[in-house]
Amino acid sequence: MNNLRILHDNAIDRAVLTASSQAGALGPGNLQRDERSAVLRAVGTSVTITATWPTQELIACAAPIRSNMNSSARMRVRGYERVGDAAPVLDTGVILPCPEAPLDPADFGVMPLGWNAYQFGGVNTWARGGGADGVAWFEPVLVRQLVIDLSSVDNPDGYIELSRLVAGMYWAPEYNPSYGASLATVDTSEGYRTAAGAAKTNVGTRHRLLNINLEFLTPSDRARLARIVDECGTVRPLLCSLFPEHADPVLEQQHMVYGRVANIDAISASSFDIYSAPLQIEGY
């Protein structure tokens, strides 16, 4: 099993983005904004997004965050060492960015085929937990241009839309978090009763909260984590995957969170050359 991965330096924010199509003003520039309602919306059920940098960037992951893609969506990531190169130095081939659950754990005839951890839906569902996060992991490569093809031919919306694009190099600690990592769904809805005793609800929003404890940090991992916390604080989002490339895609989907550090706690020297720190990631 792969160790936890955290991508805190999103190279997409330094790139010039273009898209093969866009609906009105909903263009690729919205992929560099941390607002759910700011989306790239394609004209049709396929789109090609191109990211170009003035100098080479080290890339090991590409993740379309908060989209209306379903389990049958397809993605292909290609990277080019120089702009204009004919042959890519990276090509993932066509992959499933948010695949369905394996058949084994499903009750045949009860759970629908193609189900996964995501509640399908467009931007109007995202405040209540809708939307899918896709991801592609690969060996680190230096590129100046990244080309991402997305398609979702049977999407009932008739188009693809996504809110954020993440790409870059991740950090993985030498030792995984301790047992006891938890994932909570936080619902800000409030229940109340009227004077007549009727139960009512003020509907709020919903997001995920991932709690992990990095109990065995080496000196180099302690330095890297401290740098990540210093650079991100509680303001700048990062991508955290507790079970990257796991054989069970639903487990990875549920425990991959794009969001902000919700706690700034001390990094403790628990024993000689071993450090520990709790970490909370609050989904955006």
Side-chain angles (χ1 to χ4, degrees), residues 1-7 137 170-179 210 212 214 216-218 221 239-246 252 255-256:
M1 185 178 73
N2 294 317
N3 285 1
L4 161 84
R5 293 174 182 174
I6 293 178
L7 193 161
W137 303 101
Y170 58 81
W171 166 70
E174 185 174 342
Y175 300 106
N176 246 344
S178 305
Y179 288 111
L210 179 65
I212 58 178
L214 294 162
F216 302 100
L217 290 169
T218 64
D221 285 336
L239 179 68
C240 179
S241 180
L242 186 57
F243 299 105
E245 298 185 282
H246 197 277
E252 179 178 8
H255 293 84
M256 187 178 78

Side-chain angles (χ1 to χ4, degrees), residues 1-251:
M1 185 178 73
N2 294 317
N3 285 1
L4 161 84
R5 293 174 182 174
I6 293 178
L7 193 161
H8 80 286
D9 182 21
N10 188 4
I12 292 298
D13 291 344
R14 297 185 291 275
V16 175
L17 298 181
T18 60
S20 58
S21 71
Q22 69 179 68
L26 303 178
N30 287 336
L31 301 178
Q32 296 169 318
R33 299 172 58 189
D34 287 310
E35 296 181 24
R36 286 186 178 186
S37 58
V39 300
L40 163 66
R41 181 174 295 174
V43 178
T45 56
S46 64
V47 65
T48 297
I49 304 166
T50 303
T52 306
W53 294 275
T55 58
Q56 288 187 332
E57 295 278 351
L58 186 62
I59 306 294
C61 167
I65 300 296
R66 196 67 66 182
S67 74
N68 68 337
M69 293 188 296
N70 55 19
S71 61
S72 65
R74 300 291 190 270
M75 179 168 74
R76 181 184 182 187
V77 181
R78 288 167 289 164
Y80 296 87
E81 190 174 18
R82 291 178 298 270
V83 178
D85 282 357
V89 293
L90 160 71
D91 190 344
T92 63
V94 177
I95 63 172
L96 298 171
C98 39
E100 70 277 4
L103 290 177
D104 291 345
D107 295 326
F108 189 77
V110 177
M111 295 301 294
L113 295 177
W115 75 275
N116 56 24
Y118 300 124
Q119 172 189 328
F120 173 79
V123 66
N124 60 313
T125 71
W126 296 350
R128 295 293 300 162
D133 298 336
V135 67
W137 303 101
F138 39 83
E139 289 298 314
V141 61
L142 285 167
V143 299
R144 276 197 61 195
Q145 191 171 72
L146 203 65
V147 179
I148 302 171
D149 300 315
L150 297 173
S151 66
S152 185
V153 294
D154 61 350
N155 195 305
D157 290 336
Y159 53 81
I160 287 181
E161 64 182 1
L162 65 148
S163 175
R164 198 65 162 100
L165 185 61
V166 176
M169 184 60 196
Y170 58 81
W171 166 70
E174 185 174 342
Y175 300 106
N176 246 344
S178 305
Y179 288 111
S182 65
L183 180 72
T185 297
V186 180
D187 196 324
T188 62
S189 300
E190 296 181 352
Y192 67 97
R193 289 190 178 274
T194 66
K200 300 287 186 178
T201 303
N202 287 324
V203 179
T205 61
R206 193 158 52 203
H207 62 274
R208 289 179 294 164
L209 185 65
L210 179 65
N211 288 280
I212 58 178
N213 186 17
L214 294 162
E215 199 172 4
F216 302 100
L217 290 169
T218 64
S220 61
D221 285 336
R222 177 205 58 79
R224 287 293 302 277
L225 179 61
R227 179 69 176 269
I228 289 171
V229 172
D230 285 344
E231 290 187 2
C232 293
T234 58
V235 176
R236 182 172 151 190
L238 51 79
L239 179 68
C240 179
S241 180
L242 186 57
F243 299 105
E245 298 185 282
H246 197 277
D248 181 357
V250 172
L251 185 67

